[in-house]
Amino acid sequence: MSKKVLVLAETREGSLRNVSFEAIAAGKMIADGGEVISVLIGNGITDVVNELVAYGADRVITVEDAKLEQYSSDGFSQALLAVIEQENPEGIVMGHTSLGKDLSPKLASRLNSGLVSDVTAIEADGDSPKFIRPIYSGKAFEKKVIKDGLTFITIRPNNIPALEKEDGRSGDVSSVSVDITDLRTIIKEVVRKATDGVDLSEAKVIVAGGRGVKSEDGFKPLKELADLLGGAVGASRGACDADYCDYSLQIGQTGKVVTPDLYIACGISGAIQHMAGMSNSKVIVAINKDPEANIFKVADYGIVGDLFDVVPLLIEEFKKVKV
Ligand code: FAD
């Protein structure tokens, strides 16, 4: 049965995050031929509406206000609630990102509706869609079916492929005006960490370092390899605890959960808490000088050796391929 589905778009510094396009693809599967409406909340954001249409949105609704310049739980929930009231959808999809993890349970509880979080795949074969999500830190998967009622879905970035971009596709664009009041948090300034390059949670390639990297300088070859492959640098908590890198790079149970196409683990032992954040990566390469290291149990390719020998060799070889 076809459904009307709202999909929340996410921007960062004026650009749409990839997960916005993946959420549209997820919305299409849930809508089953029904309407997929992208909702864009912020201030001065209208430049990107055509991109949402090109990636499959049938309509775009914007909510703009100076108070929505930065994300706040109160502001964005007021904005999205106004669109939900106007459109009365059957499903609402957003990324399983910091924003989605904050907003979805808050609104689901406010509206007394369902929430399926951290969805990595959707089976839509005409019946009610089945939402597949990892449980027990990725060791097993469960399938959930929601029979009726409004349901919030958060999708894990990098798992549900976006649709092919179709430039010139047309779709309606309208706006909803909302009086944003009673903000309990006012963000005065956002100070960004001095990390450059690709966003770790959306990176297709991650080169991660552990305690085996031994120092802050030890991360330099990993960064060079990541840059060469268009990827991002990540880390184990061991490396963060040792002060070799910032905690924003931590991957694992208490860090970021990532699913890149390629994960290269360098000097990481493979503790269960680390694997909870990366074991669903599509291809895992592990470099470790201990042949018994646990990380080899999840690796597709294992290299037993010193990372300070192996990583420069990889850089050399990838440079040849790139030329
Ligand atoms: P180690 O276990 O010390 O391993 C270093 C590895 O480097 C070894 O295997 C060694 O053989 C190899 N090595 C050394 N030198 C070289 C070299 N020159 N070349 C190649 N290999 C080399 N950890 C996380 O990562 N993420 C989390 O989110 C997380 N959450 C946690 C939550 C809780 C509640 C707890 C209790 C722990 C958590 N941990 C987490 C910590 C986790 O248990 C491990 O302690 C941590 O992952 C170990 O990091 P590591 O693999 O870098 O270090």
Side-chain angles (χ1 to χ4, degrees), residues 210-212 214 235-239 250-255 267-271 273-274 287-290 293 305-308:
R211 224 188 307 256
K214 295 196 174 68
S236 70
R237 179 156 139 190
Q250 185 184 321
I251 289 164
Q253 189 184 314
T254 44
I268 295 178
S269 59
Q273 296 90 352
H274 184 76
I287 305 166
N288 197 304
K289 61 183 187 186
D290 173 8
D306 190 316
L307 71 94
F308 295 105

Side-chain angles (χ1 to χ4, degrees), residues 65-80:
D65 192 295
K67 291 183 191 139
L68 299 169
E69 176 102 32
Q70 301 294 345
Y71 174 75
S72 73
S73 231
D74 289 335
F76 271 52
S77 48
Q78 286 174 41
L80 190 53

Side-chain angles (χ1 to χ4, degrees), residues 204-206 259-265 278-286 298-301:
K204 298 280 181 211
V205 177
I206 293 177
T259 337
D261 292 343
L262 174 61
Y263 189 89
I264 306 179
M278 47 62 75
S279 60
N280 289 318
S281 304
K282 291 180 190 90
V283 176
I284 299 172
V285 177
V298 294
D300 299 284
Y301 300 94

Side-chain angles (χ1 to χ4, degrees), residues 57-100:
D58 301 308
R59 262 200 289 151
V60 180
I61 297 177
T62 60
V63 187
E64 288 209 79
D65 192 295
K67 291 183 191 139
L68 299 169
E69 176 102 32
Q70 301 294 345
Y71 174 75
S72 73
S73 231
D74 289 335
F76 271 52
S77 48
Q78 286 174 41
L80 190 53
L81 267 176
V83 182
I84 295 169
E85 272 163 23
Q86 175 183 294
E87 296 295 332
N88 201 17
E90 282 128 314
I92 300 171
V93 187
M94 54 186 90
H96 194 68
T97 56
S98 307
L99 186 156

